[in-house]
Amino acid sequence: MVHYIIVITLLALGLSPHCLSSKTVGGGYLYPQFYDHSCPKAQEIVRNVVAKAVAKEPRMAASLLRLHFHDCFVKGCDASILLDSSGSIISEKRSNPNRNSARGFEVIDEIKAVMEKECPHTVSCADIMALAARDSTVLTGGPSWEVPLGRRDARGASLSGSNNNIPAPNNTFQTILTKFKLQGLGIVDLVALSGSHTIGNARCTSFRQRLYNQSGNGQPDNTLDQSYASQLRRNCPRSGGDQNLFFLDFVSPIKFDNSYFKNLLANKGLLNSDQVLFTKNGESRELVKTYAYNQELFFLQFAKSMIKMGNISPLTGSRGEIRQNCRKINA
């Protein structure tokens, strides 16, 4: 239903729904029908395994969405994040943004195993991640979109790219925006994609400085609602409890909606990187307000920004490979 709303809204805006479905990038062509003949059940397989995983553990939806994001910001959407360390490869799983926090690898493995039985050597791990991110969004109540397909898998990883390119929770607004712009994404994409924090969790270690020492002066962050802050301090002490988990959106933590933006208006964004969208830049502040008051507009932009993000430097044609096991390059 939401997909039709998106198409109708695009037409009303004078945009072609085609801009949702395909894009020429770096000489490669991604389009939603890529596997229609070579593996007609590909999308159904991903949807079924993701649905089972999310039913078992609702948090998995956010984890799979985040995996796609953390992959695309490093060398493009090429499944490099899935590679384990071996030979000359140092895994991106070891990087600061991913260590002890990137998850969902077993779900991707399960999808890949079913896929290899159904149509061997055909569907890339990179495409599986893009589809899993879309399905995770839909399963939790968010918008749907047609996922352009045809990515291939990288034969290497970049630990330094993972450490440097992915925005950190304590980065300044300008640093985060710069990291987005380096990937060809703008301020609208930044605010819309941040809205994915309407589901999922963050660890105490990701926001502790806001509670105790925001600017190195031993004072808490004054842009954080004080009653919310004292609530957070109960399970996020000054030291210890690093891995304690907190909902990114305490209002509706497993429902994909626009309450994340409403929380920002009330100074109840959990991460510094969330709250700065409202406090540090006029344009992003207006976008936060817009999405807080209009969920349909947020959903529309989120879908468009996810397609745009999924188009970051994919390997196509004969570049890369179709991995048989997402964790290692083919022999």
Side-chain angles (χ1 to χ4, degrees):
M1 175 65 188
V2 176
H3 179 69
Y4 296 113
I5 292 170
I6 285 172
V7 171
I8 290 161
T9 314
L10 280 173
L11 292 169
L13 292 171
L15 298 168
S16 159
H18 188 68
C19 74
L20 276 186
S21 51
S22 59
K23 181 168 181 177
T24 309
V25 225
Y29 196 57
L30 302 183
Y31 55 98
Q33 301 79 18
F34 191 84
Y35 297 110
D36 282 8
H37 300 296
S38 60
C39 191
K41 286 190 178 167
Q43 301 215 28
E44 187 190 327
I45 289 168
V46 177
R47 192 162 51 243
N48 291 344
V49 178
V50 172
K52 194 177 72 178
V54 172
K56 189 174 150 194
E57 186 199 9
R59 182 187 171 203
M60 189 51 73
S63 300
L64 291 169
L65 192 50
R66 184 171 183 257
L67 213 49
H68 182 43
F69 171 60
H70 279 214
D71 180 50
C72 291
F73 268 57
V74 184
K75 307 198 304 99
C77 309
D78 60 3
S80 60
I81 193 173
L82 301 178
L83 290 168
D84 289 337
S85 294
S86 71
S88 62
I89 294 169
I90 302 170
S91 178
E92 291 169 20
K93 295 172 186 177
R94 293 185 181 183
S95 71
N96 291 328
N98 295 330
R99 198 173 53 244
N100 298 325
S101 89
R103 56 200 299 281
F105 300 109
E106 299 76 14
V107 179
I108 303 295
D109 291 340
E110 189 182 339
I111 297 168
K112 186 61 175 170
V114 179
M115 204 72 85
E116 285 299 306
K117 276 190 194 128
E118 177 68 29
C119 21
H121 323 311
T122 305
V123 181
S124 69
C125 301
D127 278 346
I128 286 172
M129 283 207 294
L131 288 167
R134 188 270 314 272
D135 294 341
S136 294
T137 304
V138 174
L139 280 162
T140 46
S144 185
W145 59 91
E146 284 194 295
V147 179
L149 300 163
R151 300 167 190 78
R152 287 165 65 86
D153 300 323
R155 291 198 182 99
S158 174
L159 181 66
S160 63
S162 189
N163 273 321
N164 298 326
N165 299 5
I166 297 168
N170 57 353
N171 279 162
T172 64
F173 175 84
Q174 201 48 56
T175 299
I176 297 166
L177 182 58
T178 300
K179 287 179 178 182
F180 268 74
K181 283 184 171 170
L182 287 170
Q183 305 298 339
L185 301 171
I187 195 164
V188 175
D189 303 304
L190 162 59
V191 178
L193 292 172
S194 295
S196 63
H197 284 178
T198 178
I199 55 173
N201 302 68
R203 298 172 298 154
C204 164
T205 181
S206 305
F207 60 87
R208 175 183 280 126
Q209 92 284 350
R210 297 193 72 202
L211 301 178
Y212 301 102
N213 189 19
Q214 173 69 355
S215 312
N217 58 0
Q219 296 301 308
D221 185 348
N222 61 8
T223 67
L224 182 62
D225 177 86
Q226 289 313 300
S227 65
Y228 181 46
S230 63
Q231 227 176 311
L232 295 171
R233 277 192 278 266
R234 279 177 220 150
N235 285 315
C236 187
R238 210 175 269 275
S239 63
D242 282 10
Q243 307 302 319
N244 292 355
L245 291 173
F246 295 76
F247 292 127
L248 285 159
D249 164 14
F250 66 92
V251 175
S252 50
I254 58 173
K255 184 168 167 39
F256 199 104
D257 57 20
N258 67 337
S259 59
Y260 164 83
F261 295 105
K262 294 175 180 174
N263 295 341
L264 298 187
L265 299 188
N267 292 316
K268 292 178 179 177
L270 182 64
L271 305 177
N272 186 66
S273 54
D274 294 324
Q275 198 59 50
V276 292
L277 299 179
F278 188 63
T279 57
K280 296 294 183 191
N281 178 278
E283 194 180 340
S284 71
R285 183 187 180 94
E286 289 310 309
L287 287 164
V288 168
K289 285 185 195 167
T290 301
Y291 300 150
Y293 299 132
N294 189 333
Q295 181 169 283
E296 195 182 313
L297 211 57
F298 162 49
F299 277 14
L300 172 68
Q301 186 56 53
F302 185 79
K304 287 170 68 176
S305 293
M306 283 297 290
I307 291 165
K308 197 169 162 187
M309 184 184 83
N311 275 316
I312 299 172
S313 312
L315 298 171
T316 53
S318 58
R319 296 185 303 152
E321 63 181 18
I322 306 295
R323 274 184 232 144
Q324 284 169 268
N325 175 339
C326 291
R327 292 172 181 266
K328 54 187 190 194
I329 57 173
N330 297 337

